[in-house]
Amino acid sequence: MKKVLCIFICLTFINCVANDSTQDDSGSLTCPSSLFPDWAASNFVLPFPVGKTYNTGLSACSSSYHGVGRPDQYAVNFNMPIGSEITASIGGEVIYVVENGVDYNFPNNLIVIKTGDIYVQYMHITNDGSEVEVGDVVTKGQLIGYSGATGLAGYPHLHFVVTSSNGWEYPYQSIPVTFNNTDPNPNSLESYKPYEAMPY
C-alpha cells in the first residue's frame, strides 16, 4: 500500500511540474514564456540606478529556493555589494519596513511596496538601510534603500520578488515579472548574467 501511495504521489508531482514548466536545452526545468508579461511593455524597471550593472544570482524558475513550485519561484537575486543603492522598480505605497537586522544575521531586513493589488518586496537590505518609511508614496526610480546580507543571505545580494494579492508574508505566491529597461528578458532575467539599467 505504501509503495502504491508513493508511486501515486511521485507521478502527481511529475505531472504538476510538467504542466507548469518546460525544459531548456540543458534539460533544466524553466517556466513557459506564456506566463511572463511582454518585457518591452513591462511597468517594471531594474531595482537599481540607471547606468549601474549587476549580475543576477538565482532567477525565476532556476533552482534551490527559486525552484518551480516554491514561493520564490519568480524571484530574482541581484548580486550587490553591501551599501549599493536600491531604487523602486515601480511606484506605490510603502506598507512595511524592517531595518534593524545586522548583516549576516537575522532578522531579514526588507521593504514592501504595494502597487495596485500586488506587493513588491526588496529583501536583505543592510542595517538601517531604508530611506523610506511606512506610508511613504514612492515613484519609479526613487532611492528606497541600500543592499545588504541580512536574514537568509549567505552573501550580499538583493532578493527581489513580486507577490500576488494573496499577500506579502511568507509563504507568499510570487508572480512573473519582466523589466523594460535592460536587455530583452521574455522569460524574466537569466541567472548569473550581468544586466545594465538603461534609461527609461
Side-chain angles (χ1 to χ4, degrees):
M1 180 67 179
K2 288 183 180 178
K3 187 174 182 180
V4 172
L5 181 60
C6 179
I7 292 170
F8 173 77
I9 291 171
C10 290
L11 288 175
T12 301
F13 173 77
I14 290 169
N15 285 334
C16 287
V17 170
N19 289 337
D20 291 336
S21 58
T22 57
Q23 288 189 331
D24 62 20
D25 293 337
S26 69
S28 300
L29 289 170
T30 60
C31 295
S33 302
S34 60
L35 295 178
F36 292 91
D38 176 15
W39 73 272
S42 173
N43 291 323
F44 292 87
V45 296
L46 292 175
F48 46 85
V50 169
K52 293 286 187 179
T53 299
Y54 292 104
N55 284 357
T56 52
L58 293 174
S59 192
C61 303
S62 52
S63 61
S64 184
Y65 290 101
H66 296 233
V68 173
R70 302 294 297 267
D72 282 309
Q73 174 173 339
Y74 297 111
V76 179
N77 287 350
F78 297 93
N79 300 341
M80 298 178 163
I82 293 173
S84 301
E85 292 184 337
I86 298 169
T87 54
S89 183
I90 193 170
E93 180 182 358
V94 179
I95 64 161
Y96 191 76
V97 174
V98 175
E99 59 176 336
N100 64 319
V102 177
D103 290 311
Y104 302 106
N105 212 327
F106 287 90
N108 174 29
N109 292 343
L110 72 158
I111 298 168
V112 182
I113 297 175
K114 188 174 190 297
T115 179
D117 62 352
I118 61 173
Y119 302 88
V120 185
Q121 304 194 47
Y122 307 79
M123 297 188 192
H124 307 316
I125 63 174
T126 195
N127 180 252
D128 292 328
S130 177
E131 289 289 335
V132 294
E133 298 177 352
V134 172
D136 287 351
V137 175
V138 302
T139 57
K140 183 184 297 185
Q142 179 178 332
L143 175 67
I144 60 171
Y146 302 92
S147 64
T150 55
L152 191 64
Y155 63 96
H157 68 279
L158 168 65
H159 181 86
F160 176 90
V161 63
V162 180
T163 60
S164 73
S165 58
N166 291 338
W168 60 269
E169 295 182 275
Y170 196 88
Y172 40 63
Q173 180 181 348
S174 60
I175 60 176
V177 63
T178 52
F179 304 88
N180 71 28
N181 70 325
T182 192
D183 296 338
N185 53 107
N187 294 350
S188 191
L189 307 182
E190 297 178 32
S191 298
Y192 310 113
K193 179 179 175 179
Y195 284 93
E196 179 184 1
M198 301 174 184
Y200 51 90

